[in-house]
Amino acid sequence: QLQMQESGPGLVKPSEILSLTCTVSGGSITSGPYFWDWIRQPPGKGLEWIGGMHYSGATSYNTSLESRVTISVDTSKNQLSLKLRSVTAADTAVYYCARRCCYFDSGSRPNWFDPWGQGTLVTVSS
Amino acid sequence: QSALTQPRSVSGSPGQPVTISCTGTSSDFGGSVYVSWYQQHPGKAPTLIIYDITVRPSGVPDRFSGSKSGNTASLTISGLQAEDEADYYCCSYAGSYTVVFGGGTRLTVL
């Protein structure tokens, strides 16, 4: 059974870079028709999709965050990573990684998430 | 991408049905079948309960069902149970490999 686990600093200073890693176990990040995504949830608020990518390189980002976000995969470590630059208090949230189905070719519409990691809280504060 | 519109809260008594709506624009839904629903209990990660508008993943009780009419998708829970009290989110494909979530609905079982 595929599992996903987020890791990284729980506290980041304003204007710095938020960096998180998601380790995938029980399956390969290069197998199957999947995007590998990041989603966040500010305390007491709803879900916000950040972006995701297929190991082949196809990538997509939320237009509201695109200028500050980079998502990448390390196939040798079976990991997904997130970098969010120039953070502010508004970036304080629980960050989830999740697998998104299904991407077969350029005409595909990957749209549903399963499974999700347990989430990690990142607080932006000096 | 702007969030899909969901009611902030709904409630129902045990055994009764409840429906949660999710409304978007034609560009959000794209006339497509690519709508999914997630259940989130407090302090937990969301879990998938419906995808492709109507499909229940293995293990999801059949009291959960989905539908769509025009630009509104709906999640219906027939025969509410206490453990169904949670937050529910819809999600839709929004083009160019992007997705958009609804604002979420808090379901209270009376």
Side-chain angles (χ1 to χ4, degrees):
Chain A
Q1 183 178 348
L2 191 98
Q3 293 185 320
M4 305 177 72
Q5 177 70 58
E6 306 87 351
S7 60
L11 181 64
V12 180
K13 290 183 168 53
S15 79
E16 295 192 345
I17 298 174
L18 181 159
S19 293
L20 294 175
T21 298
C22 173
T23 300
V24 178
S25 59
S28 172
I29 208 165
T30 61
S31 69
Y34 304 113
F35 262 58
W36 302 90
D37 286 45
W38 290 96
I39 297 146
R40 70 180 183 179
Q41 185 172 36
K45 295 187 178 181
L47 301 171
E48 180 181 30
W49 176 72
I50 298 171
M53 71 177 298
H54 186 263
Y55 78 92
S56 65
T59 308
S60 61
Y61 296 115
N62 188 324
T63 54
S64 68
L65 297 169
E66 189 169 18
S67 63
R68 298 194 291 131
V69 172
T70 301
I71 293 173
S72 60
V73 296
D74 185 332
T75 56
S76 67
K77 295 182 179 178
N78 222 33
Q79 291 178 334
L80 170 71
S81 70
L82 169 71
K83 291 190 187 304
L84 181 63
R85 297 174 288 277
S86 304
V87 297
T88 69
D91 295 309
T92 293
V94 174
Y95 286 76
Y96 296 99
C97 56
R99 186 182 68 175
R100 176 159 53 120
C101 193
C102 300
Y103 176 75
F104 298 102
D105 54 38
S106 61
S108 298
R109 292 170 171 79
N111 67 94
W112 51 268
F113 298 94
D114 183 64
W116 296 58
Q118 66 183 33
T120 187
L121 175 63
V122 179
T123 301
V124 178
S125 174
S126 56
Chain B
Q1 302 107 339
S2 53
L4 303 172
T5 301
Q6 298 181 234
R8 290 186 64 90
S9 64
V10 298
S11 62
S13 299
Q16 288 189 333
V18 67
T19 296
I20 299 171
S21 62
C22 170
T23 302
T25 65
S26 57
S27 61
D28 292 326
F29 285 133
S32 73
V33 299
Y34 307 111
V35 178
S36 54
W37 289 89
Y38 302 85
Q39 179 189 63
Q40 185 180 34
H41 287 109
K44 301 294 187 181
T47 59
L48 177 70
I49 54 173
I50 295 284
Y51 67 96
D52 290 353
I53 297 182
T54 62
V55 183
R56 269 190 322 274
S58 160
V60 174
D62 61 7
R63 64 179 182 274
F64 291 92
S65 64
S67 63
K68 180 172 172 282
S69 178
N71 289 337
T72 298
S74 298
L75 172 71
T76 298
I77 308 172
S78 61
L80 268 180
Q81 298 188 9
E83 61 262 34
D84 298 333
E85 185 160 293
D87 293 328
Y88 291 84
Y89 293 90
C90 61
C91 179
S92 175
Y93 184 77
S96 302
Y97 305 137
T98 69
V99 296
V100 61
F101 282 99
T105 298
R106 173 69 53 88
L107 169 63
T108 301
V109 180
L110 302 171

